[in-house]
């Protein structure tokens, strides 16, 4: 079974600073990896996804993530954070190679942005 | 296209009562998913429909839970004999077509409180 660990429960950064959110996954085969963002009282929005190919993936809102198989990681980055990026971020893994569609989510990282 | 709609937004019920939630996916989406999210956690997969067929069910979906999608359009999730541990946000998501794996559109959820 797959699993996801997001080691940082809460991160605070200053507006304009760079951001990196960590995600480690466990899955025996090639993982399908995702980052979602959730604002208070809202549903989740997909930021980006990785299935195969180029290990650096570009997403919406200026986010990118890098898949590192050797480290079982899929960290999310943004070069310059905006106050509107304050939200909860979830990493998820899917067993797409098996045809199963259930995603396993991490417990999330709450991002706070200081002015 | 008004997105994924979930009703009600909030539900407070007494322990032991039955509750039913409704999800209206994006109209052209043939795949529909139910997730549950408790406070401070990421969403947990409950079940998945392709059209009217229920193709995956999580072990979290106990005998007290049942989901239907009778005509391949809207879906309902019923919880019988609610328990306090059922208190959570119930999220619905939908997707369509090939290559959309993991790229779900989530609704804003139904928050259930069992007292």
């Amino acid at each position: 079974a797959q699993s996801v660990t997001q080691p940082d429960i809460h991160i605070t950064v200053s507006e304009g600073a760079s951001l990196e959110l960590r995600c480690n996954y466990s899955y025996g085969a090639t993982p399908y990896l995702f980052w979602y963002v959730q604002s208070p009282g809202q549903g989740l929005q997909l930021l980006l996804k990785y299935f195969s190919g180029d290990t650096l993936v570009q997403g919406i809102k200026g986010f990118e993530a890098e898949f590192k198989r050797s480290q079982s990681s899929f960290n999310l980055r943004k070069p310059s954070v905006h106050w509107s990026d304050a939200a909860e971020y979830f990493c998820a893994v899917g067993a797409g190679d098996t045809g199963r569609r259930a995603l396993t989510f991490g417990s999330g990282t709450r991002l706070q942005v200081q002015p | 296209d008004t997105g994924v709609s979930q009703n009600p937004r909030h539900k407070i019920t007494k322990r032991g009562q039955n509750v039913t939630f409704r999800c209206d996916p994006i109209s052209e989406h043939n795949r529909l998913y139910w997730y549950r999210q408790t406070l401070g956690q990421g969403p947990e997969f409950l079940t998945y429909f392709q059209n009217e067929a229920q193709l995956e069910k999580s072990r979290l979906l106990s005998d007290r839970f049942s989901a239907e999608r009778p005509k391949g359009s809207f879906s309902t999730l019923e919880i019988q004999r609610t328990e306090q541990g059922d208190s959570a946000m119930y999220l619905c998501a939908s997707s369509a077509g090939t290559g959309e794996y993991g790229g779900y559109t989530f609704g804003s959820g139904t928050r259930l409180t069992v007292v």
Side-chain angles (χ1 to χ4, degrees):
Chain A
Q2 61 263 37
S3 66
V4 175
T5 301
Q6 293 182 247
D8 304 305
I9 297 172
H10 188 206
I11 283 183
T12 300
V13 300
S14 299
E15 191 168 15
S18 63
L19 171 70
E20 183 168 27
L21 302 182
R22 296 184 290 165
C23 171
N24 293 98
Y25 70 90
S26 174
Y27 184 60
T30 301
Y32 286 33
L33 295 162
F34 310 86
W35 275 99
Y36 278 84
V37 61
Q38 186 177 35
S39 298
Q42 301 298 313
L44 287 83
Q45 181 183 23
L46 179 69
L47 288 175
L48 47 78
K49 58 185 177 181
Y50 171 79
F51 291 172
S52 64
D54 193 346
T55 56
L56 186 62
V57 180
Q58 301 297 320
I60 62 171
K61 303 185 180 187
F63 286 92
E64 66 178 26
E66 186 171 12
F67 170 60
K68 292 186 177 179
R69 184 186 297 276
S70 61
Q71 298 177 20
S72 298
S73 70
F74 188 57
N75 294 349
L76 182 71
R77 301 193 295 245
K78 187 170 185 179
S80 177
V81 169
H82 188 262
W83 64 266
S84 60
D85 293 323
E88 185 127 29
Y89 292 79
F90 294 95
C91 181
V93 63
D97 54 329
T98 67
R100 293 184 59 246
R101 305 195 74 83
L103 298 188
T104 299
F105 284 82
S107 55
T109 297
R110 180 165 298 279
L111 173 66
Q112 190 172 357
V113 181
Q114 286 182 335
Chain B
D1 176 3
T2 57
V4 176
S5 176
Q6 292 189 246
N7 288 288
R9 290 296 305 272
H10 303 274
K11 178 72 176 178
I12 300 174
T13 190
K14 291 184 178 178
R15 190 174 52 189
Q17 297 295 303
N18 299 344
V19 294
T20 299
F21 311 139
R22 177 178 171 126
C23 172
D24 288 273
I26 293 173
S27 57
E28 62 268 26
H29 284 186
N30 63 339
R31 304 179 196 270
L32 186 147
Y33 313 81
W34 285 99
Y35 282 78
R36 181 179 73 180
Q37 185 177 22
T38 54
L39 208 59
Q41 299 299 316
E44 297 171 291
F45 173 77
L46 293 177
T47 191
Y48 152 61
F49 291 86
Q50 181 170 319
N51 300 313
E52 64 276 9
Q54 189 173 21
L55 298 184
E56 283 181 54
K57 280 176 65 172
S58 162
R59 287 178 218 146
L60 290 175
L61 219 63
S62 73
D63 292 345
R64 298 185 296 106
F65 287 69
S66 63
E68 293 183 343
R69 195 183 183 199
K71 296 183 180 178
S73 56
F74 73 91
S75 175
T76 58
L77 178 67
E78 182 184 16
I79 308 175
Q80 296 182 326
R81 306 181 302 283
T82 52
E83 301 172 355
Q84 287 190 321
D86 297 330
S87 295
M89 177 77 84
Y90 290 84
L91 296 167
C92 177
S94 68
S95 66
T98 58
E100 97 299 0
Y101 185 96
Y104 310 143
T105 300
F106 278 86
S108 299
T110 293
R111 181 168 295 284
L112 173 66
T113 302
V114 181
V115 297

